[in-house]
Amino acid sequence: MDKDFLWWRDGVIYQIYPRSFKDGNNDGIGDLAGITQKLDYLVDLGIDAIWLSPIYLSPDFDFGYDVADYQRIDPKFGTMDDFENLLQNAHSRGIRLIMDLVLNHTSNQHLWFQQSSSSKDNPYRDWYIWRDKSKSGGVPNNWQSRFGGSGWEWDEKTQQYYFHLFFKEQPDLNWNNPKVHSAILEMIEFWLQKGVDGFRLDVFNAYFKSQRFENNPVKLGLAGFDRYQHLYDINQPEMLSFLSKLRILLNSYPESYSAGETFETSTQMVASYISENSLHATFDFSFMKNRFKADGFYKSIQNWESLLQDKKWPNYVLNNHDVPRSATRYIRGEKDDRLKILAAMLLTLRGTPFVYYGEEIGMRDIPVTRKSDVKDPVGKHYWPFYKGRDGCRSPMQWEETQYGGFSDVEPWMPVHENFVFRNVKSQLENPDSLLNTYRKLIEIRKNTIALQKGMYLPLTFEPKRLLAYMRKTSDHEVVVALNFSNRRVGFVVSFSILNQNWSLLYSNKRDQKPKIIDRKITLEPNEILLLEHRL
Ligand code: GLC
Ligand code: CA
């Protein structure tokens, strides 16, 4: 084992959407006690940390991404005791816990906003972004809401507009007010003192807005939010001074971690926020936009690697609570071959793998067919052009019993009907299942320092079908070759591989090391091949 193991760099992080993981008290909604019950499952899977989507008090307008009190647990998830119990049980099993911080905005039911909107001279007035109407009597400028329409909402009572980047029920905090910084940092320290190991920062690069409130320039040909060049409402330079204060705080709690969700930004910008004075990690979402072709993934990896170099630590993510699941993006039907290839890629790259609950059993999105069933406010708003994010938020499928073993009563969101055969229990029993592929690959990663920390070197690659690379430390090399196609494909190997004594580390299609004929290894359809060599 690795003596120099750092959990967030060398481990695997698992995202839980708490409403949908496990219902501990059978009211139909997943909760903290449910997660605690399932910790041994996560240990067995081999993960090192959990990121919990928000569990704070929330009216659930945006399902927890609208926080009414950052220091209270929402009763539907349990109590602070339940939280501490989860944290302690996770830690005693060697699992770290990451909380989700939603700091760009609060719920309109947060006390700060209730105060702020009560009168113009309330001490909390400048905790949010209030502006007079423009000279012509309309909105202060052209800033938009990501969820549709102007970002400005008129408040009758105090005769000013407030700004909201998302829905009007999610007013944006005024980050140009230092009191906001202090309150937020104090709140973060509250969780650090409880023993929380790190944070995922929701849309952190949108916290600051230009204090001059300039109109964003308009781009031609696009509509809505995309019609604007977001020069003044995101990525403001003042951001960096707050991130450095945050980092100083985090550094005083050894091994604590921050991963930022970057909003509407180039990968280059995303990479720039990782540094010793700002965040440990940021997410590049380009994997989620790729088609199922080796070359698209190859380009995403090259781009991310070349921006980060060996100074910054990458991470990789195929799924989260905002996008259709990879199984639904890439597959019609129930075959899992493609998901095994993706699992192998995710778990053998240089960078922290993030796994979204249910990804390891290949959960598919639930179909959303009627507007009246939609839960996600974004889906309600854009129906039928966009049906929202309910699809990827359905209950975890534990077993073949009613409601998939998620709850004894009807869950808040329907369970996918494939739960009768696609569930944790049946996949644990099947050695070739996707779940066992994840388990095996995580175990291999854990026991192979070259796969955790080694350099990434791209190898020959047959566009579209074959992705191959080497992971390398001073005394160990691992070659990863992934056949993205359902046909055989030739992998032309280099001299170093030809001449040395390589052995088979893993394959889903063979148990002996492959023959090299005419400098080529023939990979089986959708084969994962891992070869290793000690120097
Ligand atoms: C982030 C979250 C998303 C939420 C939005 C507003 O993008 O991932 O779920 O709706 O922020 O908080
Ligand atoms: Ca419950």
Side-chain angles (χ1 to χ4, degrees):
M1 258 317 267
D2 177 9
K3 280 191 252 41
D4 166 43
F5 183 87
L6 180 57
W7 68 271
W8 59 261
R9 182 190 60 199
D10 306 319
V12 178
I13 301 179
Y14 187 90
Q15 181 189 355
I16 291 181
Y17 195 70
R19 291 183 78 93
S20 294
F21 195 59
K22 171 71 189 168
D23 182 7
N25 66 349
N26 292 310
D27 64 355
I29 300 179
D31 47 46
L32 296 171
I35 299 170
T36 308
Q37 278 174 37
K38 292 295 184 184
L39 283 172
D40 288 330
Y41 165 71
L42 298 175
V43 171
D44 177 70
L45 178 59
I47 65 113
D48 299 277
I50 300 168
W51 147 26
L52 284 184
S53 280
I55 52 167
Y56 317 100
L57 191 69
S58 166
D60 276 340
F61 190 79
D62 190 14
F63 295 104
Y65 286 92
D66 49 330
V67 179
D69 188 332
Y70 293 107
Q71 284 171 226
R72 276 175 61 194
I73 304 291
D74 195 290
K76 68 182 159 293
F77 294 127
T79 61
M80 192 58 88
D81 282 348
D82 293 323
F83 175 78
E84 282 165 4
N85 190 35
L86 167 62
L87 186 62
Q88 195 196 342
N89 273 282
H91 282 170
S92 68
R93 288 165 174 79
I95 293 183
R96 307 293 191 126
L97 195 85
I98 297 169
M99 307 272 286
D100 208 316
L101 287 177
V102 189
L103 309 177
N104 174 68
H105 46 271
T106 67
S107 158
N108 59 355
Q109 295 184 25
H110 196 293
L111 194 74
W112 297 342
F113 188 72
Q114 309 234 300
Q115 292 286 328
S116 186
S117 57
S118 67
S119 77
K120 268 183 162 168
D121 49 21
N122 186 281
Y124 285 90
R125 185 65 172 181
D126 59 353
W127 285 48
Y128 293 83
I129 304 171
W130 292 98
R131 301 291 286 169
D132 289 332
K133 46 172 96 128
S134 70
K135 289 201 191 82
S136 55
V139 291
N141 66 19
N142 69 3
W143 295 357
Q144 300 289 298
S145 154
R146 170 72 280 193
F147 288 166
S150 168
W152 295 101
E153 178 70 14
W154 179 248
D155 178 49
E156 267 306 319
K157 187 167 176 204
T158 61
Q159 296 286 304
Q160 275 189 315
Y161 285 97
Y162 68 84
F163 184 70
H164 55 92
L165 184 59
F166 297 94
F167 281 118
K168 65 177 177 2
E169 290 78 2
Q170 300 167 289
D172 283 35
L173 282 165
N174 175 16
W175 278 86
N176 288 305
N177 178 352
K179 290 193 192 123
V180 170
H181 300 202
S182 323
I184 293 288
L185 288 169
E186 241 171 68
M187 174 278 284
I188 294 177
E189 185 138 36
F190 165 86
W191 292 106
L192 286 167
Q193 275 172 10
K194 285 201 183 294
V196 163
D197 301 284
F199 304 94
R200 175 260 187 192
L201 307 181
D202 192 68
V203 299
F204 74 93
N205 61 320
Y207 295 174
F208 286 81
K209 281 86 187 169
S210 167
Q211 297 200 66
R212 287 191 295 279
F213 296 90
E214 302 93 322
N215 280 325
N216 281 321
V218 175
K219 289 196 271 189
L220 291 178
L222 292 165
F225 198 82
D226 300 331
R227 213 175 136 229
Y228 297 88
Q229 229 179 311
H230 292 277
L231 295 187
Y232 303 115
D233 53 349
I234 50 182
N235 292 319
Q236 300 304 296
E238 293 87 341
M239 182 76 220
L240 295 172
S241 78
F242 174 73
L243 291 183
S244 77
K245 283 197 248 175
L246 173 66
R247 186 58 179 261
I248 291 168
L249 173 62
L250 291 176
N251 285 349
S252 64
Y253 290 79
E255 295 199 2
S256 60
Y257 172 63
S258 53
E261 180 209 23
T262 334
F263 176 72
E264 304 280 333
T265 295
S266 69
T267 307
Q268 198 169 357
M269 196 70 163
V270 172
S272 74
Y273 286 116
I274 306 176
S275 87
E276 307 252 294
N277 304 319
S278 48
L279 301 177
H280 298 78
T282 50
F283 294 105
D284 170 35
F285 294 126
S286 61
F287 269 16
M288 294 175 175
K289 297 172 196 141
N290 288 335
R291 301 200 301 149
F292 194 79
K293 294 273 194 301
D295 55 354
F297 288 103
Y298 169 77
K299 283 183 199 137
S300 299
I301 299 163
Q302 286 302 115
N303 189 28
W304 198 212
E305 275 280 336
S306 69
L307 288 167
L308 300 185
Q309 308 276 338
D310 54 2
K311 295 269 179 302
K312 302 184 181 189
W313 189 251
N315 59 42
Y316 287 97
V317 45
L318 290 162
N319 290 291
N320 67 25
H321 62 290
D322 289 329
V323 293
R325 288 178 176 273
S326 48
T328 298
R329 299 198 305 265
Y330 297 128
I331 301 160
R332 279 202 209 111
E334 293 288 344
K335 281 181 74 179
D336 288 343
D337 303 3
R338 290 182 160 198
L339 300 178
K340 291 180 182 170
I341 293 291
L342 293 177
M345 178 180 70
L346 183 76
L347 295 167
T348 59
L349 281 169
R350 186 186 82 102
T352 315
F354 277 73
V355 177
Y356 179 56
Y357 85 97
E359 171 184 325
E360 73 279 23
I361 54 168
M363 274 173 58
R364 271 60 176 167
D365 277 30
I366 51 166
V368 180
T369 46
R370 278 197 313 226
K371 187 179 180 190
S372 57
D373 292 341
V374 175
K375 307 267 187 307
D376 179 14
V378 189
K380 288 184 193 160
H381 187 86
Y382 284 105
W383 189 273
F385 307 104
Y386 173 63
K387 294 180 178 162
R389 299 165 294 182
D390 290 356
C392 64
R393 299 175 175 180
S394 67
M396 179 72 174
Q397 297 164 205
W398 295 103
E399 47 186 53
E400 72 293 347
T401 53
Q402 207 191 12
Y403 307 126
F406 165 74
S407 177
D408 290 350
V409 303
E410 194 184 341
W412 75 288
M413 185 81 94
V415 184
H416 196 293
E417 59 185 27
N418 68 9
F419 80 89
V420 282
F421 55 88
R422 184 175 292 286
N423 58 61
V424 167
K425 187 164 156 244
S426 68
Q427 291 203 20
L428 280 175
E429 285 157 9
N430 170 6
D432 290 331
S433 66
L434 182 64
L435 177 55
N436 278 320
T437 308
Y438 268 87
R439 288 175 70 227
K440 183 73 196 163
L441 289 164
I442 292 175
E443 184 191 321
I444 291 174
R445 184 180 179 95
K446 194 141 290 176
N447 294 319
T448 313
I449 290 180
L451 287 180
Q452 290 170 14
K453 301 198 214 317
M455 262 198 289
Y456 162 87
L457 299 169
L459 296 177
T460 51
F461 115 109
E462 201 266 324
K464 296 195 172 42
R465 292 163 66 196
L466 176 70
L467 178 66
Y469 45 86
M470 185 186 282
R471 300 291 314 284
K472 179 180 164 62
T473 56
S474 56
D475 59 357
H476 195 190
E477 294 177 337
V478 177
V479 164
V480 179
L482 304 172
N483 182 356
F484 274 67
S485 78
N486 50 16
R487 283 179 292 160
R488 291 204 166 121
V489 62
F491 170 31
V492 181
V493 296
S494 68
F495 278 101
S496 81
I497 298 180
L498 279 175
N499 298 339
Q500 321 226 1
N501 200 6
W502 288 79
S503 56
L504 182 69
L505 178 59
Y506 176 82
S507 163
N508 57 339
K509 303 280 170 165
R510 68 182 85 223
D511 14 79
Q512 307 241 309
K513 91 173 179 189
K515 292 207 173 63
I516 300 179
I517 299 166
D518 292 339
R519 296 195 185 168
K520 244 195 220 165
I521 293 173
T522 302
L523 293 179
E524 294 300 314
N526 291 129
E527 176 167 1
I528 303 166
L529 178 66
L530 269 57
L531 298 172
E532 67 173 328
H533 166 58
R534 307 250 164 213
L535 299 168

